[in-house]
Amino acid sequence: MSETARVSARGAKRIAAGHPWVFRSDIERAPSTEAGVVPVEDQRGKGLGWALWSPASEISIRHIEADPKARVDDAWWAARIGAALARRRAIGGDTNAVRLVHAEGDRLPSLVVDRYDRWLVVQLLSAGLESCRAAVVRALVAATGCEGILARNDASVRTREGLAREVTVLAGGVPDEIEVTEAGVRLLVTPRDGQKTGAFLDQRENRRLVASVARGSALDLFSYHGSFALHLARAADRVVAVDSSGAALERGARNAALNGVGNIEFVEADAFAFVRDRLKSGERYDTVVVDPPALAKNRGSIAGALRAYHDLNVHAMRLLAPNGMLFTASCSYHVGKGPFLDMVRDAAADAGRTLAIRAITGQPVDHPEVVTIPETGYLKGVLLEAIG
Ligand code: SAH
């Protein structure tokens, strides 16, 4: 009986290679304790530091600290969270909607923290982390001075950890709707029932980028609550915002009113059908955004997802007016950067368009993609300009 997790040679190698996860098959001796922070050692008993231990999960331990002499106490959480916050200073003051902690990307495995103005929305996505909840909450309140913390612990991965799926307030009070600003655009966010933790913070820089080249007649496909559309509306003459969610579009219309913007038309439609219809009716757009949900949910659906991305992009490219600008993105972790760019190339060929790459984008500073942890990266985008 020991509370130390002993990992196999392969498990130790994985940690040494910069990946915090050790799977159940690489645990040589499981800790005798409940979920929590445990010491880790290699086959020879050499201390490898500390990890979050999840007895029910396939990902048994998530390594958090390499120094065996360190203590994972309140001061430790405060330091790690403080380092993540410091990294966000680069974002500047023109937005108050920021991901403060991007889990493994900030060396805080399975912890997501998004800030919406004076409130935080968190996700505790492992049993090991859940057992540290009180310390995490204390550190977050102390570091941010927030007025409330909501746990969006309704993600399905919690089930694999043996944890309940729930949405609960962990500190203070949290409103149902929060107004945030992003580069001068005002947005209403619904943390309790919105997608992700309420908004798609990961596209912040891409919205800025596209707004800087937007003009004429614009189309925002998969608009959610109008995020790209609101930025496009400042530079373009008119914007059509398409989404299949009536509730998201309804908030989009309220966001437009909040910003005094009158040139966005919100259309509830299936984007795949919409692009076909508009192509048939001869409509063309000077600026197009394609930001679908993750079409590849797992390894098995990669081929089908690539066909769907291809189909969407061929149509979006054909809808481009001469010299038009297209921003196309994928947030599927399972579709890597290479296959995504190959898809863009094939779609351009099939659309019969000459397209120049103006920018290839990834994740913003508040969503760090760590090179040794592929799971921290998922978002890629390309800004294309039609040559003729
Ligand atoms: N561009 C948004 C994020 C889009 S997320 C932003 O920057 O905030 C993907 C969106 O696609 C969701 O709002 C979802 O409701 C919508 N969606 C999913 N399937 C769709 C479909 N077939 N047609 C249109 N919209 C769809």
Side-chain angles (χ1 to χ4, degrees), residues 97-99 112-116 120-123 150-152 154 167 174-180 182 187-202 207 223-227 247-248 251-252 255 367:
V98 173
R99 172 153 295 193
V112 171
V113 182
D114 288 340
R115 172 189 167 211
Y116 296 107
L120 305 183
V121 184
V122 305
Q123 294 181 301
L150 179 77
R152 271 296 294 272
D154 49 344
V167 178
V174 179
D176 288 338
E177 198 166 76
I178 301 173
E179 184 185 323
V180 297
E182 182 185 274
L187 277 167
L188 296 169
V189 169
T190 53
R192 279 188 176 73
D193 58 2
Q195 294 209 33
K196 289 204 163 191
T197 61
F200 292 88
L201 303 175
D202 50 6
R207 289 190 279 265
S223 184
Y224 189 46
H225 53 200
S227 341
R251 211 166 53 253
N255 285 334
H367 293 65

Side-chain angles (χ1 to χ4, degrees), residues 287-315:
T287 314
V288 178
V289 172
V290 183
D291 183 23
L295 298 176
K297 302 280 185 221
N298 48 51
R299 261 173 211 274
S301 58
I302 294 174
L306 281 170
R307 280 194 296 276
Y309 282 117
H310 178 270
D311 174 82
L312 255 178
N313 279 279
V314 167
H315 287 86

Side-chain angles (χ1 to χ4, degrees), residues 43-106:
Q43 278 176 311
R44 295 193 197 96
K46 182 180 158 231
L48 300 178
W50 301 84
L52 299 171
W53 153 236
S54 289
S57 175
E58 274 307 308
I59 306 170
S60 297
I61 65 168
R62 292 165 171 87
H63 191 247
I64 56 171
E65 170 59 59
D67 180 3
K69 290 201 261 339
R71 283 183 56 202
V72 182
D73 53 11
D74 274 19
W76 186 93
W77 288 103
R80 243 341 127 78
I81 287 171
L85 263 54
R87 218 165 283 133
R88 271 72 182 163
R89 286 199 197 114
I91 294 175
D94 73 347
T95 182
N96 57 5
V98 173
R99 172 153 295 193
L100 298 183
V101 177
H102 183 54
E104 279 77 356
D106 282 299

Side-chain angles (χ1 to χ4, degrees), residues 195 200 203 207 220-225 227-228 242-245 248 269-272 291-293:
Q195 294 209 33
F200 292 88
Q203 292 281 27
R207 289 190 279 265
D220 177 18
L221 295 169
F222 307 93
S223 184
Y224 189 46
H225 53 200
S227 341
F228 273 96
V242 179
D243 202 279
S244 58
S245 162
D270 169 38
F272 291 85
D291 183 23

Side-chain angles (χ1 to χ4, degrees), residues 371-388:
V371 291
T372 54
I373 316 173
E375 293 82 358
T376 55
Y378 59 96
L379 183 65
K380 51 260 154 209
V382 192
L383 180 66
L384 299 156
E385 177 178 359
I387 304 298

